[in-house]
Amino acid sequence: MLAHSPHLPLTIWYTNGNREMTAEDEEGALFALSHRDRVHRIALCTPVSKLGKFINAMDEEFPILDRICIGSQPGDPTGQMFPKTFQAPNLRHAWTSCRPIGSPLVTTTVCLVNLELMDIPPSPLFPPSHILTRLSLMSQLATLRIHFHSPHPNRDVETPEVTHVMLPNLQVFSYRGVSAYLEGLARIRAPTLKVLDVQFFNQLTFTVPRLLEFMRASEFLRFGAVKITFDGDSLGLMAGPDTSWQQRSLRLRIMCKHLDWQVASAVQIFDSISPVVSGVEDLMLFDVDPNRSANPRDEVDRTQWCNLFRSFSNVKSLGIQASLSGRLSHSLCSVDGEVPLELLPNLEVLQHLGGSSVDGVFTSFIRERRQGGHSVDLVASSSYVPQQHVQQYMRNQEARQQGQVQVQKERWRQEQEQRRQEAERLRPQEQRRGQEELRWLQEEQPWYKEELRLQREVRRLQREVRRRR
């Protein structure tokens, strides 16, 4: 049917991971690939065992190919490489998990707008200098993703000789791998970069001095808010201009377990990029691991917490999740009577997030700051309140509390009034009941009459005695 169809652009699309590709599907895809002058878009995601035959069929020029997405299924990296005779002079969007080493996909395409190299097997044959040389020809590139499937030792990463590569239109850069390889790629200069997404594999140390240069080259990577999330198996960092998070300029994840390791990793990263986070005014710390135990590895040395906060000298509002309050309350206190005012010197508000009350939380820290002439307001809130809205939030809280007091007073007054009205209503009944009981005693009980007579006689005798005296 395809052979007799009109000469229109073809789209080859097969990405259904829930359905196994049949022999008929394979035959149809291969037949469509043979019409190279008509193929406009390709999307093939199949097991490695079947991927090779499709890639080998792409051995000539595809003149109108605009978009290609080809690779193995997630978690199943392939060592397959595009044929050296493959050409796509008008290719603008490329996603692949095939071997990029020497691939014409990154050596012959210069019109690319989006380039995504995913699940790359670690290899010394693919150093940073290799990709930098190819990227230098892609001036239109707007999105670049380089994701390795697994880590390789930092010592195996070759240092590039390239001074820098200018990508004037790059807006999104995403990387997954080890820090040494990112240091090599940090020779890129992207003045219009708006989103930096980095994921590091687990490693002991992070030495990324060139990352700071890479970030400072962009006029858009300026941060006013930072959110740090400690999870069960990773550390997440998110930064943006403000707490609306409509623009998440920096997303960074480090794959490591245990709280002490996560904090130590965060200290190393922020110590390297401290100049670009020095203007942050809103800082949030969350622990989302529900199984955080009493494991010694989850106990963080006070010095590590202090080193983390030293990178944020301009923070005015600090939000700490209730589950972290106990760990941090001690770390923020003075040692040997010395108040650490150099730590968070501009702090104005400390928010206890998720806690219903601030009683007993950060008491020593607040007292020491007040004694040092730098008062800090302590606020309990269910979610983080942006620094510029805290004062209004506190006024609303105070008004709400005053309103609650007034409501309680009014409720107490109404209860008292109801009791008084009930007493007024019952008083005539009580009086009538008393009169009836008195009448019954007087009329029906002889001993009561005798008791009254004796009382009258006693009073008469008392008067007589007083008179004679």
Side-chain angles (χ1 to χ4, degrees):
M1 182 178 70
L2 183 60
H4 303 286
S5 64
H7 196 81
L8 298 173
L10 297 177
T11 295
I12 304 171
W13 194 282
Y14 191 92
T15 59
N16 190 350
N18 298 323
R19 176 178 174 271
E20 185 175 355
M21 178 177 279
T22 64
E24 184 179 357
D25 293 331
E26 293 182 30
E27 182 181 355
L30 290 171
F31 184 68
L33 285 171
S34 66
H35 292 70
R36 298 174 181 84
D37 60 337
R38 297 176 57 186
V39 176
H40 180 58
R41 293 185 176 183
I42 300 174
L44 289 170
C45 183
T46 66
V48 174
S49 58
K50 296 184 178 183
L51 187 63
K53 61 181 69 177
F54 296 114
I55 295 178
N56 292 332
M58 301 171 66
D59 56 353
E60 294 184 20
E61 181 178 337
F62 287 73
I64 69 169
L65 183 62
D66 172 76
R67 184 185 301 266
I68 185 171
C69 175
I70 188 166
S72 56
Q73 294 174 346
D76 188 16
T78 177
Q80 186 75 32
M81 188 172 66
F82 280 83
K84 293 186 180 298
T85 54
F86 169 78
Q87 292 185 37
N90 293 301
L91 187 65
R92 293 176 57 81
H93 308 275
W95 182 104
T96 180
S97 62
C98 299
R99 282 180 66 192
I101 305 169
S103 172
L105 190 64
V106 295
T107 59
T108 64
T109 52
V110 296
C111 297
L112 281 173
V113 175
N114 297 325
L115 175 61
E116 304 183 37
L117 305 177
M118 314 299 288
D119 280 342
I120 306 170
S123 171
L125 300 178
F126 186 61
S129 57
H130 178 90
I131 187 66
L132 287 174
T133 302
R134 274 60 183 179
L135 290 175
S136 64
L137 304 175
M138 303 178 185
S139 60
Q140 300 181 41
L141 201 63
T143 300
L144 173 62
R145 288 186 170 87
I146 301 176
H147 288 198
F148 285 92
H149 176 261
S150 57
H152 51 280
N154 282 325
R155 63 178 180 272
D156 293 344
V157 179
E158 177 185 310
T159 303
E161 297 180 359
V162 180
T163 55
H164 67 270
V165 173
M166 179 62 69
L167 296 178
N169 295 305
L170 188 65
Q171 297 186 20
V172 178
F173 176 52
S174 178
Y175 170 80
R176 182 178 72 185
V178 296
S179 61
Y181 201 99
L182 180 62
E183 275 292 282
L185 295 178
R187 273 111 171 134
I188 295 173
R189 293 296 176 264
T192 61
L193 188 70
K194 296 180 180 179
V195 176
L196 175 60
D197 189 347
V198 177
Q199 180 176 326
F200 286 127
F201 290 115
N202 191 9
Q203 56 188 87
L204 289 175
T205 58
F206 296 89
T207 306
V208 285
R210 290 187 179 274
L211 179 60
L212 174 62
E213 300 177 24
F214 174 75
M215 296 175 67
R216 297 180 80 169
S218 171
E219 58 185 78
F220 296 100
L221 295 182
R222 302 294 180 263
F223 311 122
V226 169
K227 180 180 178 180
I228 304 176
T229 303
F230 303 100
D231 204 341
D233 55 3
S234 65
L235 162 71
L237 309 174
M238 184 168 63
D242 51 54
T243 56
S244 67
W245 304 120
Q246 293 180 356
Q247 181 179 346
R248 303 178 183 184
S249 306
L250 172 64
R251 295 190 294 263
L252 190 147
R253 182 166 295 277
I254 302 175
M255 305 306 295
C256 60
K257 297 182 179 180
H258 303 300
L259 189 60
D260 60 341
W261 202 330
Q262 293 174 357
V263 175
S265 300
V267 169
Q268 295 180 66
I269 294 296
F270 282 119
D271 185 58
S272 299
I273 64 171
S274 58
V276 296
V277 297
S278 60
V280 170
E281 295 187 353
D282 293 272
L283 176 62
M284 291 147 275
L285 277 74
F286 292 88
D287 184 6
V288 296
D289 182 9
N291 301 316
R292 189 74 71 188
S293 63
N295 190 318
R297 297 294 302 276
D298 287 332
E299 294 300 327
V300 182
D301 185 76
R302 176 185 181 275
T303 304
Q304 291 283 40
W305 285 118
C306 293
N307 290 338
L308 177 61
F309 290 129
R310 284 193 176 94
S311 298
F312 301 95
S313 57
N314 197 46
V315 163
K316 296 181 180 179
S317 179
L318 172 62
I320 300 177
Q321 191 176 20
S323 58
L324 286 172
S325 296
R327 303 175 189 272
L328 284 168
S329 183
H330 170 71
S331 299
L332 290 175
C333 293
S334 63
V335 177
D336 299 329
E338 179 184 359
V339 180
L341 291 179
E342 76 282 358
L343 200 65
L344 302 171
N346 295 310
L347 186 65
E348 298 175 359
V349 179
L350 179 57
Q351 300 187 39
H352 182 56
L353 305 178
S356 58
S357 173
V358 295
D359 294 341
V361 180
F362 299 105
T363 304
S364 299
F365 173 73
I366 299 297
R367 182 178 63 251
E368 290 170 356
R369 281 302 174 99
R370 187 180 300 111
Q371 292 172 351
H374 189 107
S375 298
V376 175
D377 294 322
L378 183 59
V379 179
S381 59
S382 58
S383 59
Y384 185 80
V385 181
Q387 182 268 332
Q388 65 269 26
H389 299 149
V390 168
Q391 295 301 324
Q392 182 62 43
Y393 175 82
M394 293 176 64
R395 286 193 293 268
N396 293 342
Q397 286 289 91
E398 183 178 356
R400 189 178 296 110
Q401 292 175 356
Q402 291 178 352
Q404 291 175 350
V405 170
Q406 293 297 327
V407 169
Q408 292 177 351
K409 287 183 176 179
E410 179 63 21
R411 185 181 295 115
W412 180 83
R413 189 193 64 79
Q414 292 177 356
E415 291 176 353
Q416 293 296 319
E417 179 64 20
Q418 289 176 356
R419 292 192 184 97
R420 187 191 65 78
Q421 293 177 359
E422 183 66 13
E424 290 291 337
R425 185 181 66 82
L426 295 176
R427 184 173 292 111
Q429 299 179 7
E430 294 293 333
Q431 291 177 350
R432 286 194 299 271
R433 188 179 297 109
Q435 293 174 356
E436 291 175 355
E437 290 179 353
L438 179 60
R439 188 181 303 109
W440 176 76
L441 291 173
Q442 292 175 345
E443 295 178 354
E444 304 294 336
Q445 304 297 326
W447 61 267
Y448 182 72
K449 294 180 180 180
E450 182 63 21
E451 180 69 20
L452 291 176
R453 187 188 67 77
L454 291 176
Q455 290 179 2
R456 288 194 295 272
E457 183 64 23
V458 169
R459 288 196 293 271
R460 186 187 66 76
L461 293 175
Q462 290 174 344
R463 288 196 300 272
E464 182 68 23
V465 171
R466 287 195 297 272
R467 186 179 62 78
R468 289 183 179 182
R469 289 179 181 176

